[in-house]
Amino acid sequence: MNNHKDAIVVKDLVKKYGDFTAVDGISFEVKKGELFGILGQNGAGKTTTLEIIETLKPLTSGEVWVEGFNATDSPWEVKKRIGVQLQSAGFYPELTLVELINMFAALYNVHVDARALLKKVDLEEKAGAYVNKLSGGQKQRFAVMSTLINKPSILFLDEPTTGLDPHARVSLWETIEEIKKSGVTIVLTTHYLEEAEKLCDRVAIMDSGKIIKIGTPNELIKELLAGGFRRKIVRQEATLEDVFLHLTGKTLDE
Amino acid sequence: MNNITTQFRPYLALSWYSLKAAIRNKATLFFSLIFPIVLVVAFGLIGSSNQSFKIGLIEGKDEINPIVATVKKISAVKTTTASLEELNGELKRGKLDAVLKVDPSLFGGYQVTVYTSNANPTTSGAVASLVKGIVDQGNLRATGVTNNPISFSSYEVTGRQSRYIDFILPGQVGFSLLSIALFTTVFGFIALRRLLVLKRLFATPTRPITILLSQGTSKLIMALLQTTIIVGFGVLVFNFYLPHGWVTFLEIMVLSVLGLISFLGFGFFLSGLANDENSAPPLVNVVSLPQMLLSGVFFPTESLPTWIQPVANNLPLAYFNQAIRKITTEGGNFSDTIPYVVGFMLWGVVMYALATRTFKWE
């Protein structure tokens, strides 16, 4: 069972809500250690796909394998091996960061050094603060960090940078890249194309519940150009975002 | 993998942190710990005014006659003196229980008249027979009868003065348990669902039953704290009577645990029906309001109209209140509570059965 080469295998996955088909027969594999992006607009079916793999939602038909375990048959084995960051908080508002870390450690039956974990994402000073008192970027760094408590082999990040300012986004990208370096497989959803291009090894483009293309960002661009596509505007050497970051300093967001 | 051992630490942690979160939530803290105290204080103060008869005497007229003198000696009587018109006015407004008028009669004796109000038949009757007793005694003495054909004597048993606090406090314990089980559970689950806390917990290897048990445990600790505060406050401030001291206190705690377990069934059932913060209040009130009014929280169910009594006496909170009054107000043993414990536990079983159908995590 554990003799598998892919971290995640999804085969002909379908999810229906009544007459509405949210996920319409998608298949893909995520390789170990890979940063896999699912790109798509709101309502494309990204979150539903993620939540089925995370064992949070039952599937209508198809198969999902995580680290060699079937997500439908062995959800508890899957849950132990993954880290999940939801689109919005998911934390008790009346508990401090340290308390939340200790609570999650207990839920996974592991022991962690809460302060050391907070230090990793520059939130050491916020140890006694409530999640609601954090800035958007701090919240997301904490959410991502909290997924690492059980030392998962696969991490799911659902639109981690949505709603963040440029500084916070860049800072979170760095955190994600660091986690990737430690060998963790990461699946990330986003509707920022720039983010997908910068971070992901491979991306799946999703639209109306279907995956319409999978490949590395470079492959996809080359394929498009080979088809005779030319951008209408000449590419700028810098963007307004670069200007902003240059002027204000590329530091953390607080 | 043994589930029980792997779920034990998650269970403890979730119970502890849910309790911590609840205590830090100001609304929860107010409604579960401070509000009951406010009610107990309010009702404790009502109960402390001593029962006495207020009798009006007519100005300048009666002060010297022996009947008035005897009435004045009775400790349960308070007298005021004014003109007849004023006194009658007071009587109509309910400020006086009776007006006593003593006129010299034609034959050298007295004509005694008692005016009472039909608004309060119990006190009226009591005052009238009190005065009549004095009159009869006076008549017998006047006619020289010393050897009464019928003699009368009364004995008082050494009972406790029944005060409102001794009635209201057990009712408050019951009502607070129902409130904590309903309000904090229903609104708690809605908040946990809305904030995706439950979803985040489900992404960990925590079993659903662990989450439910830990929620129940944290509410149970809150409830025991609440009962301790209400009873402790009652004992210290209002001299609330525990017939068997610590034993009664422990029995109250055991009843509270059982009561909360039963009432949580309502909480779980309703939190499945309520979708959001808007649909919850009517649902919660439909369950809590009738029980607050009909289950003997503020006044005994016997004082309700007879047709509604069969309903009122079978409400879960009514069963709980009857059980707790068995061991407090009535000074009975724990075994006396068993029929009532079975009563509210059956309600609990029905509610848990319904909750398994309605409960939803998202």
Side-chain angles (χ1 to χ4, degrees), chain B residues 31-61:
Chain B
F31 280 107
S32 53
L33 299 179
I34 295 167
F35 192 57
I37 294 292
V38 173
L39 282 181
V40 167
V41 170
F43 290 109
L45 291 177
I46 290 174
S48 64
S49 69
N50 276 322
Q51 186 90 33
S52 62
F53 298 122
K54 289 180 267 331
I55 298 181
L57 301 171
I58 294 155
E59 217 165 18
K61 198 171 187 185

Side-chain angles (χ1 to χ4, degrees), chain A residues 51 54-57 76 79-80 82 84 86 88-96 99 102-111 130 143 146-147, chain B residues 1 5-11 13-14 17-18 20-22 24-25 192 194-208 215 362:
Chain A
E51 290 189 342
E54 292 160 354
T55 76
L56 293 175
K57 276 199 172 95
W76 306 107
K79 284 176 208 264
K80 267 187 247 171
I82 61 171
V84 173
L86 302 172
S88 65
F91 302 110
Y92 275 99
E94 298 96 349
L95 295 180
T96 66
E99 287 167 341
N102 288 334
M103 186 183 88
F104 278 105
L107 297 184
Y108 287 106
N109 267 307
V110 295
H111 292 274
Y130 299 120
S146 79
T147 63
Chain B
M1 186 80 74
T5 50
T6 56
Q7 290 297 296
F8 191 61
R9 202 175 144 216
Y11 161 73
L14 271 184
Y17 286 114
S18 308
K20 236 181 176 175
R24 281 187 191 151
N25 185 309
L192 292 184
R194 181 171 47 80
L195 297 167
L196 301 187
V197 173
L198 285 180
K199 193 180 249 185
R200 184 68 182 82
L201 293 180
F202 274 128
T204 73
T206 312
R207 298 290 200 273
Q215 288 298 312
E362 280 187 48

